[in-house]
Amino acid sequence: MNKRTLLLALFLLALSGLLLHYRIHNFMVPDTMNPGKLRFDNTKFLSFLFPLIDVVLVTALFMSRKTAVYGYLLNGIIVIYGTVLMGHFSIAELITKSAPLEDWFLRSTLPDIGIAWGDFFAGKALYDIIMRE
């Protein structure tokens, strides 16, 4: 696999994560005090910020050999934080609902965590190629 293909894969996985987060955690929410208007929810914006950093900054850092190590590091940090946070919220929600075992796989954030780790491993492969050059 070549460097451009892996960079594109890294970008597309990060962009997919960003779009999923925006759909699930839209930070512009209906204002209960003013029907028909939206208000900014800063707590939901934080869940949008990590994938945004992944799309913009991590991709940009991987474009240069000099900064690729920082892209690899930042990508790993984002994936670890994402895994912990998504896992925590998923477990907390499923426990309160006494969900059946199949829900733990199909209605949890496990698929989202898998996408995040796919993003990490694409970044690792890209980093390995860059360092061999």
Side-chain angles (χ1 to χ4, degrees):
M1 207 176 262
N2 69 28
K3 199 165 73 170
R4 284 186 185 165
T5 304
L6 281 172
L7 187 62
L8 181 61
L10 187 75
F11 172 77
L12 290 174
L13 284 165
L15 183 62
S16 298
L18 176 69
L19 295 174
L20 278 171
H21 273 84
Y22 183 70
R23 184 178 67 191
I24 296 166
H25 307 290
N26 190 342
F27 52 86
M28 296 304 293
V29 296
D31 189 350
T32 54
M33 301 299 280
N34 298 308
K37 295 198 176 188
L38 299 175
R39 69 174 177 79
F40 177 76
D41 184 344
N42 61 346
T43 58
K44 290 187 177 183
F45 181 72
L46 290 175
S47 66
F48 178 79
L49 191 58
F50 279 132
L52 182 64
I53 290 169
D54 193 8
V55 169
V56 176
L57 189 56
V58 170
T59 303
L61 289 170
F62 268 110
M63 289 181 172
S64 168
R65 188 177 201 284
K66 292 179 183 177
T67 58
V69 67
Y70 301 112
Y72 181 47
L73 179 66
L74 185 57
N75 194 31
I77 290 169
I78 289 170
V79 169
I80 291 168
Y81 274 124
T83 299
V84 170
L85 293 171
M86 287 187 287
H88 165 74
F89 288 117
S90 189
I91 290 168
E93 183 177 327
L94 291 169
I95 285 176
T96 59
K97 292 181 179 177
S98 298
L101 186 60
E102 75 178 38
D103 282 2
W104 284 79
F105 294 102
L106 300 176
R107 296 179 193 251
S108 70
T109 56
L110 191 61
D112 305 347
I113 292 169
I115 291 170
W117 280 97
D119 178 75
F120 171 76
F121 287 117
K124 185 199 180 324
L126 179 59
Y127 177 74
D128 289 346
I129 288 173
I130 291 170
M131 289 299 113
R132 274 189 256 136
E133 290 180 339

